[in-house]
Amino acid sequence: MTNYKPIPIYDDIYWDLTTEACHSLLIAPSGAGKTVFLSYLAGMILKRGHNLFIVDAKNTSFGATFQSSGVRTASTPDEIISLLTDLVVSMTDDYATTFASGNGDIDSNFASYHLPANVLIFDEVLSALDSGDKKQKGEMERLLKLLALKGRMAGYIIVLTSQRLMATDLPKAVTEQCQTRYIMGANVSEELFHLATGSYKKNLGTNYKGNVGEGYVVTPKNSLTYFKSPFMDFKVNDFRALIHDLCYRRAT
Ligand SMILES: Nc1ncnc2c1ncn2[C@@H]1O[C@H](COP(=O)(O)OP(=O)(O)OP(=O)(O)O)[C@@H](O)[C@H]1O
Ligand SMILES: [Mg+2]
């Protein structure tokens, strides 16, 4: 059973897959907790009965944990392109069938048709883009743009992480569509903070609370808000068992 209940993040911050804030971008320096946060989001996607896809460009135990439970996971440029292509093809089919024949209600989306979301959790998007040759990089960017621009209504949702965020690093067409922005970490430059959130870190002064697993989130509804990421230790067996159980229940 698919459950569209917004996913709790922290306090009164929720991730609602059915809103314009669905695409998300998580910026944090190395070791600040990106992958740990993603493993929580990924687990919740399964728990809510949606389809989950993972790109783990650095081939860590994060991807391995979900892959061993049957979640489609990509890490090489070819695997990533193949996964993104399949998602775009499937999204295009959904538009041609379900949404084209729809009732013309502009508010209708995947949830109104009781379809699950197809969530792509993409860790280290810059490492992935840089790991490809020029042609592969261009293709990954093109496919990501299509998902970012057209995915929302059909429930093709992207969550990206990156250590940097410069205009030249990531296509603007992709990052602009990510209307939920998270930034975490103690050592975040003023420039990165501003690029990620649109606010100035210096305004927080000594109140700045960024740390490992802690930082700030902005959505179209919430202005800059402190948040702490739920701690999921994907390296421990209990978490693996939980993911196995969630995947098994989906498959039966
Ligand atoms: N919410 C949290 N609460 C407490 N500790 C955390 C939290 N998130 C992460 N950590 C700790 O920080 C470590 C690094 O986290 P994680 O691997 O998610 O960082 P990362 O940003 O993905 O780093 P990398 O750039 O190396 O991939 C974890 O192994 C864990 O010990
Ligand atoms: Mg990581």
Side-chain angles (χ1 to χ4, degrees), residues 34-36 58 60 123-124:
K34 294 182 295 296
T35 307
V36 164
K58 294 205 300 196
T60 65
D123 201 7
E124 302 285 358

Side-chain angles (χ1 to χ4, degrees), residues 36 69 131 139 166 188 239:
V36 164
S69 293
S131 70
E139 185 61 0
M166 301 290 287
V188 169
F239 183 68

Side-chain angles (χ1 to χ4, degrees), residues 29-37 58 124 163 212-213 229-231 235:
S30 186
K34 294 182 295 296
T35 307
V36 164
F37 187 30
K58 294 205 300 196
E124 302 285 358
Q163 298 182 14
V212 174
S229 104
F231 185 58
K235 291 174 193 119

Side-chain angles (χ1 to χ4, degrees), residues 213-248:
E214 287 181 81
Y216 295 85
V217 54
V218 205
T219 71
K221 271 196 195 145
N222 301 281
S223 56
L224 193 70
T225 308
Y226 167 81
F227 93 107
K228 200 168 162 37
S229 104
F231 185 58
M232 282 282 144
D233 195 345
F234 56 89
K235 291 174 193 119
V236 303
N237 286 330
D238 282 358
F239 183 68
R240 290 217 185 108
L242 177 70
I243 297 304
H244 268 291
D245 188 44
L246 289 169
C247 287
Y248 177 76

Side-chain angles (χ1 to χ4, degrees), residues 56-150:
D56 178 12
K58 294 205 300 196
N59 225 336
T60 65
S61 54
F62 165 60
T65 297
F66 285 86
Q67 188 167 37
S68 69
S69 293
V71 173
R72 183 167 173 192
T73 304
S75 43
T76 66
D78 282 340
E79 286 167 1
I80 297 169
I81 290 169
S82 158
L83 171 57
L84 293 174
T85 303
D86 289 349
L87 287 171
V88 167
V89 167
S90 158
M91 173 180 79
T92 310
D93 280 353
D94 286 358
Y95 273 112
T97 54
T98 313
F99 295 102
S101 61
N103 50 20
D105 177 357
I106 53 158
D107 288 330
S108 72
N109 63 14
F110 66 103
S112 25
Y113 288 93
H114 308 290
L115 293 169
N118 292 284
V119 180
L120 173 66
I121 297 216
F122 197 137
D123 201 7
E124 302 285 358
V125 65
L126 285 179
S127 310
L129 293 175
D130 290 341
S131 70
D133 60 31
K134 208 175 160 210
K135 190 166 158 244
Q136 288 170 320
K137 185 176 182 195
E139 185 61 0
M140 285 188 255
E141 290 183 345
R142 185 183 73 83
L143 294 161
L144 266 179
K145 269 188 220 169
L146 286 170
L147 292 171
L149 288 165
K150 299 192 180 162

